Amino acid sequence: MHKVKKSAAVKLLVASGMILSFSGMTQAAEDTDSVKSKIVMCQGCHGIADYRTAYPVVYHVPKLGGQHAAYLVKALKDYRSGERSHPTMVGIAGTLSDEDIDALAAYYAGN
């Protein structure tokens, strides 16, 4: 009887581990999808080589890839708080959570 309980406990532990493992994989996939959906917002302007925008004034749009993550985090938080005032960036940054900002900064710092 003791062996049966031990075997059932081992099976339960293995099953629990698998469930936790799969839920972690699902969360990672969701996080990746979330970051990808946010990156699309950036690529419309920052993903075009030598792009210049005409709103609110004509200027060269900076490249994000290879920037330092800390710089990107600060810039996005400054746009979100209104400390930086570009209308498009204020609107976009206003939709981002701290986690989104950290993920975008890490992505662009690595590219």
Side-chain angles (χ1 to χ4, degrees):
M1 179 90 173
H2 183 62
K3 267 189 167 183
V4 172
K5 285 184 181 179
K6 194 174 193 180
S7 175
V10 169
K11 288 178 183 177
L12 180 62
L13 283 172
V14 169
S16 297
M18 289 175 66
I19 289 169
L20 288 173
S21 173
F22 291 138
S23 67
M25 288 169 43
T26 301
Q27 182 63 43
E30 288 172 4
D31 291 346
T32 300
D33 290 343
S34 176
V35 170
K36 285 181 182 176
S37 72
K38 303 292 191 262
I39 291 167
V40 170
M41 292 189 302
C42 306
Q43 290 175 337
C45 296
H46 295 281
I48 302 169
D50 299 319
Y51 181 65
R52 296 184 188 281
T53 186
Y55 179 80
V57 296
V58 176
Y59 71 96
H60 176 74
V61 176
K63 181 181 175 211
L64 297 180
Q67 295 280 1
H68 293 280
Y71 168 77
L72 294 171
V73 167
K74 176 152 178 33
L76 287 169
K77 287 183 177 182
D78 287 352
Y79 283 120
R80 188 175 65 185
S81 72
E83 192 170 325
R84 287 188 176 200
S85 62
H86 187 277
T88 303
M89 288 303 304
V90 168
I92 290 172
T95 69
L96 301 174
S97 68
D98 286 343
E99 293 79 16
D100 294 334
I101 290 173
D102 290 341
L104 285 168
Y107 173 82
Y108 279 108
N111 286 307

